[in-house]
Amino acid sequence: FVTDSTTLTIEPGTVILADYKTKASLIISADSKIIAEGTQTDPIIFSSNRSVKKKGDWGGIFILGKAPDNKTNAKWQLEDILKPSNPEIVSYGGDNMESNSGVLQYVRIEYACKRTKEYGYYNGLTLAGVGSETVLQNIMTSYCQGSSFYVLGGNTTLTKLVSFRARKNDLVFDYGAQSFLSNSLVIKSPYFTASTGASSIYLGSNKNEEEGEEIESTQKTTQLYAENLTLVVLSDDLNAATEVGLVNEAMYVEEGAAFSMRKTIFSGYNPAVVLDENIAINGKNLNNMEFNNMYFNNCKGNIFTEGVENNEDLENWYGNRIFRNVYSRGSDSETFI
């Protein structure tokens, strides 16, 4: 835990080995900062201390800030997971949209996302209530047992992220997250993905009734602005992997979430996009869900409402030439030449 207005500075080229036995994690509290500023030739690496490293060897990195979220009690389950000496250490959220939690640049996070009996899986990098003054770019997560990037509320700009072979979701935005994501890469592998299914991008809204969370209705719902992304499923036999249910959607959207997705490739998914069954297909909702200049390649279906096989309304809307979306069935070697 980094607390009491402390700034933790990590030098370029540093390799930090997290302890396997204790589910080691690094938590930056909302009043503190991390300056992990690696370089292209000397990245900062967080990895496992085991000689033979595996997914889920350690916990993950948690950065907490003072930007808004839409929960009435902004501690999330962090108190139960991390068991701090003082619960306030893991509080986050507030009204400072520009909240500055420091710098993560040229950082690699490997073999994280330990599973706990009480909570489930950790995430590679959790950003809770993080504000716009925080620098988040050139960050790669590899072999996460849980989700690679988990954004809870806040107001973040995320540039040049890489998620490689995560078991769960690659990018999760929830609880009123206001995020801009650009120039990023996701690589899924069917044989490394959870059997229960996982999306590359999961957009939550402001509802979590199963966990009994209380939501502040006056706060914003989740909104993602994204451009120049590449999301791809790599498999030696994609058709076979799809047929046996090992390939899932590139993007799942809950009711209430909004997004603008531009200049992006979804390749090899089943299907490309799934919308929550509670999302009514009408002008108001469609105007809050923009796909523009997209390249949907080699996907088993494009955009569907959950549980509905007929997607004619969605195909007609997003297939309109004004959006300039392209549907193709090319091989990876042709698509990414």
Side-chain angles (χ1 to χ4, degrees):
F1 293 95
V2 180
T3 65
D4 297 329
S5 301
T6 301
T7 297
L8 171 65
T9 301
I10 304 174
E11 297 294 330
T14 304
V15 177
I16 297 174
L17 300 180
D19 185 53
Y20 166 72
K21 292 182 180 180
T22 58
K23 307 180 182 68
S25 292
L26 174 63
I27 303 95
I28 311 298
S29 65
D31 64 350
S32 298
K33 292 183 181 180
I34 181 172
I35 307 296
E37 199 166 357
T39 67
Q40 188 170 4
T41 54
D42 289 300
I44 294 167
I45 300 170
F46 292 85
S47 192
S48 162
N49 70 344
R50 291 217 288 181
S51 55
V52 179
K53 305 177 194 299
K54 294 182 179 179
K55 287 183 176 184
D57 274 355
W58 58 288
I61 299 175
F62 299 78
I63 301 180
L64 316 182
K66 297 181 178 180
D69 62 88
N70 60 18
K71 296 181 67 173
T72 55
N73 180 16
K75 287 192 179 69
W76 189 40
Q77 298 100 331
L78 294 183
E79 187 176 346
D80 295 331
I81 303 167
L82 303 171
K83 297 178 172 54
S85 57
N86 179 354
E88 292 305 311
I89 291 175
V90 294
S91 293
Y92 63 88
D95 57 7
N96 183 3
M97 293 287 284
E98 291 78 36
S99 173
N100 188 344
S101 298
V103 178
L104 251 66
Q105 182 172 317
Y106 288 110
V107 171
R108 192 162 79 238
I109 302 167
E110 304 174 336
Y111 304 102
C113 308
K114 188 83 173 181
R115 184 177 185 178
T116 62
K117 186 175 181 180
E118 302 84 3
Y119 166 70
Y121 293 101
Y122 285 64
N123 304 296
L125 175 61
T126 298
L127 303 169
V130 172
S132 61
E133 291 297 316
T134 308
V135 176
L136 300 160
Q137 59 187 34
N138 296 95
I139 305 170
M140 179 174 183
T141 64
S142 305
Y143 303 109
C144 280
Q145 184 76 344
S147 296
S148 293
F149 299 93
Y150 207 110
V151 184
L152 294 168
N155 180 32
T156 51
T157 298
L158 306 159
T159 306
K160 298 179 184 176
L161 305 187
V162 178
S163 175
F164 182 70
R165 286 186 171 178
R167 182 179 182 275
K168 300 281 282 182
N169 306 304
D170 294 282
L171 294 139
V172 178
F173 300 89
D174 206 348
Y175 291 110
Q178 307 293 299
S179 295
F180 176 74
L181 171 67
S182 68
N183 295 67
S184 295
L185 173 66
V186 168
I187 295 178
K188 298 293 282 187
S189 173
Y191 304 102
F192 284 79
T193 304
S195 58
T196 53
S199 312
S200 282
I201 297 176
Y202 189 99
L203 286 188
S205 58
N206 56 359
K207 299 193 305 181
N208 199 345
E209 297 171 359
E210 291 181 2
E211 295 180 7
E213 299 287 0
E214 294 184 29
I215 300 302
E216 179 56 64
S217 59
T218 60
Q219 296 290 352
K220 295 178 180 179
T221 188
T222 301
Q223 189 142 17
L224 173 66
Y225 301 89
E227 64 181 28
N228 297 327
L229 313 182
T230 296
L231 282 62
V232 59
V233 178
L234 293 184
S235 174
D236 291 335
D237 193 339
L238 182 61
N239 289 332
T242 301
E243 288 301 320
V244 297
L246 295 177
V247 181
N248 302 291
E249 70 276 356
M251 185 172 174
Y252 185 91
V253 184
E254 280 191 3
E255 180 188 12
F259 63 88
S260 174
M261 183 78 60
R262 294 168 172 262
K263 299 179 182 178
T264 287
I265 297 173
F266 291 170
S267 183
Y269 288 88
N270 176 33
V273 182
V274 175
L275 306 180
D276 189 308
E277 62 184 358
N278 295 312
I279 297 176
I281 305 304
N282 55 39
K284 179 182 177 182
N285 286 334
L286 289 172
N287 284 329
N288 287 325
M289 300 187 296
E290 178 188 13
F291 287 113
N292 199 314
N293 276 276
M294 298 288 295
Y295 193 83
F296 297 100
N297 179 65
N298 219 17
C299 295
K300 190 175 181 181
N302 298 311
I303 305 170
F304 289 85
T305 297
E306 189 174 25
V308 179
E309 293 185 3
N310 186 343
N311 67 336
E312 187 175 345
D313 289 347
L314 292 169
E315 288 289 295
N316 288 339
W317 176 264
Y318 291 112
N320 190 308
R321 67 175 62 186
I322 194 173
F323 296 123
R324 292 183 288 184
N325 297 320
V326 174
Y327 305 97
S328 178
R329 301 290 294 178
S331 66
D332 287 340
S333 60
E334 294 171 341
T335 302
F336 301 107
I337 194 168

